[in-house]
Amino acid sequence: MSVTEARVEKIGTDEATGYSSYRFGSFTFSRDEYFAHVSWPRGNHIIEIDRFLRAMVRDIGWGFFYGWIFFDDIFGTTNHYGTVDVFAGTYDRGCKEAGIDFLETYSAEAVSEAFETISKDWISEGYDPLNAPLETGSPIGPKGKERTDPLLRSFIAADRMLGLPGDKSVRTEEDGFGINRAFADMEFDQPDIECEPGFEGQLHAINLFDHIARSDITWNPSISAITRANICCVTSEEHMLPVIHGNDRNEWFIQLTDEIHWNIADKNSGAPRGRVVMKAGDVCAMPADIRHQGFAPKRSMLMVMENGTPGLEQRYASGELKPYPVKFEA
Ligand SMILES: [Fe+2]
């Protein structure tokens, strides 16, 4: 894989809308009041601006995540952990057959810088792509006032058990994190903690539902528990996952409340493979060879378990490991 040396550069500013256009490697990015336009040497593509921005800020915030992030069926990124592919049409049968697909590989840092520069220019005050659509404004229209609050909120790993002295990650009313409107009917009893003498400050328990109910963002884990390569993310999900995720390893989902509908397709061709409706209490393992997108009609709570072991993606890609974790015999 050859890595293209590239840095994002501004190539102009539209006087009517106030938005700038950018070149990054062989790609150019521009936006108008409704759409993002992406072009590359053999083609170009148009994406509705809300979808584009909701995907882009998550892609940066997740550090390009595991495997493939499709902004839509055509455009996206693939994480090689250090380098990142930016692709257009590479995993779309129609584009492949028409010969207009294109892919370039850059350092992860250069892609981060490019996406951050574009997002900052194209997002104005009053619109937060990490919020549920019902809880934020619209990105449609000309450029507005620049946002001053943090635009990007990435994975934060808890330093220690949430709520223990020294932990600053647990969400509380006092920190300004109220219970989300969607969870107003839930009860949030706090656990009783009876600690043996000598273990004070080491044993603790929280109501995890209470913590998740206070998350102000969607499809983005606010706090993650990370123990070596084991990553546990709890998130609140509402509306649709703004990207289609192509797995490069298994990924476990535990549906904690309400329901999420998943569209599951072949990772390479996009051909449909299944529809899964997960309801509270359901557990599933998304295989390593699929792409998937979730739809949450009402805000719901999801726990995602990831295996961050380095090199695991190659063991799945080579076929050494089966794409699913368990085989059930008939
Ligand atoms: Fe996934």
Side-chain angles (χ1 to χ4, degrees):
M1 169 196 339
S2 72
V3 178
T4 302
E5 292 289 331
R7 286 290 172 188
V8 65
E9 54 177 312
K10 192 193 279 196
I11 50 177
T13 301
D14 183 77
E15 277 183 28
T17 62
Y19 296 114
S20 295
S21 301
Y22 296 90
R23 180 181 296 117
F24 178 58
S26 302
F27 288 93
T28 62
F29 297 87
S30 62
R31 77 156 281 186
D32 58 29
E33 291 186 311
Y34 285 120
F35 302 107
H37 302 261
V38 184
S39 61
W40 59 94
R42 290 195 287 273
N44 58 71
H45 186 50
I46 185 165
I47 308 179
E48 195 267 323
I49 192 63
D50 195 14
R51 175 154 195 184
F52 180 87
L53 292 171
R54 284 190 280 131
M56 188 169 253
V57 296
R58 283 177 180 78
D59 205 10
I60 314 165
W62 296 344
F64 307 106
F65 206 42
Y66 293 106
W68 286 249
I69 295 290
F70 293 84
F71 285 36
D72 62 3
D73 291 330
I74 306 298
F75 179 80
T77 60
T78 311
N79 196 356
H80 300 293
Y81 313 99
T83 63
V84 171
D85 298 339
V86 177
F87 62 78
T90 309
Y91 305 96
D92 177 80
R93 193 188 289 169
C95 287
K96 290 290 277 186
E97 284 174 7
I100 56 168
D101 58 300
F102 186 76
L103 179 152
E104 229 163 34
T105 308
Y106 315 96
S107 75
E109 188 221 334
V111 182
S112 262
E113 181 194 58
F115 284 10
E116 209 171 316
T117 304
I118 295 167
S119 309
K120 280 195 171 140
D121 187 74
W122 292 3
I123 293 173
S124 306
E125 205 175 80
Y127 168 64
D128 188 335
L130 290 174
N131 290 154
L134 270 174
E135 298 186 340
T136 189
S138 160
I140 289 171
K143 192 172 164 75
K145 235 173 115 188
E146 198 171 313
R147 274 181 56 165
T148 49
D149 54 336
L151 168 66
L152 305 166
R153 281 154 285 175
S154 33
F155 277 85
I156 300 168
D159 290 327
R160 58 186 319 207
M161 165 79 204
L162 297 187
L164 270 178
D167 164 66
K168 299 217 171 25
S169 352
V170 73
R171 297 275 188 245
T172 64
E173 199 78 39
E174 296 78 62
D175 296 332
F177 292 99
I179 296 286
N180 187 274
R181 72 198 194 293
F183 303 124
D185 59 337
M186 290 175 70
E187 284 177 25
F188 298 103
D189 296 340
Q190 294 305 313
D192 292 328
I193 303 159
E194 291 175 25
C195 186
E196 288 290 325
F199 293 94
E200 294 86 355
Q202 296 176 50
L203 179 75
H204 189 60
I206 60 162
N207 183 329
L208 187 64
F209 289 85
D210 181 282
H211 174 72
I212 306 170
R214 297 178 190 278
S215 175
D216 61 337
I217 51 180
T218 58
W219 304 104
N220 196 53
S222 36
I223 309 294
S224 304
I226 303 179
T227 311
R228 297 203 180 92
N230 175 53
I231 303 166
C232 171
C233 305
V234 287
T235 64
S236 63
E237 322 290 44
E238 180 175 333
H239 190 238
M240 61 197 268
L241 176 61
V243 305
I244 304 160
H245 182 222
N247 286 13
D248 68 4
R249 63 196 66 207
N250 289 146
E251 183 180 32
W252 288 87
F253 290 162
I254 304 171
Q255 187 72 38
L256 299 179
T257 74
D258 303 285
E259 65 183 49
I260 296 180
H261 300 236
W262 290 98
N263 282 351
I264 300 157
D266 181 86
K267 185 165 65 189
N268 292 313
S269 69
R273 286 247 317 243
R275 292 253 310 137
V276 172
V277 180
M278 290 189 70
K279 301 196 176 198
D282 287 347
V283 177
C284 85
M286 287 287 167
D289 60 352
I290 53 102
R291 63 174 86 171
H292 61 147
Q293 183 171 28
F295 299 81
K298 173 184 175 291
R299 201 180 193 90
S300 77
M301 298 186 187
L302 179 69
M303 179 182 275
V304 181
M305 309 288 287
E306 305 278 358
N307 184 340
T309 303
L312 205 53
E313 72 283 4
Q314 282 144 16
R315 299 178 65 191
Y316 280 111
S318 69
E320 179 199 336
L321 297 174
K322 294 268 180 274
Y324 42 82
V326 185
K327 187 167 183 198
F328 295 102
E329 301 292 345

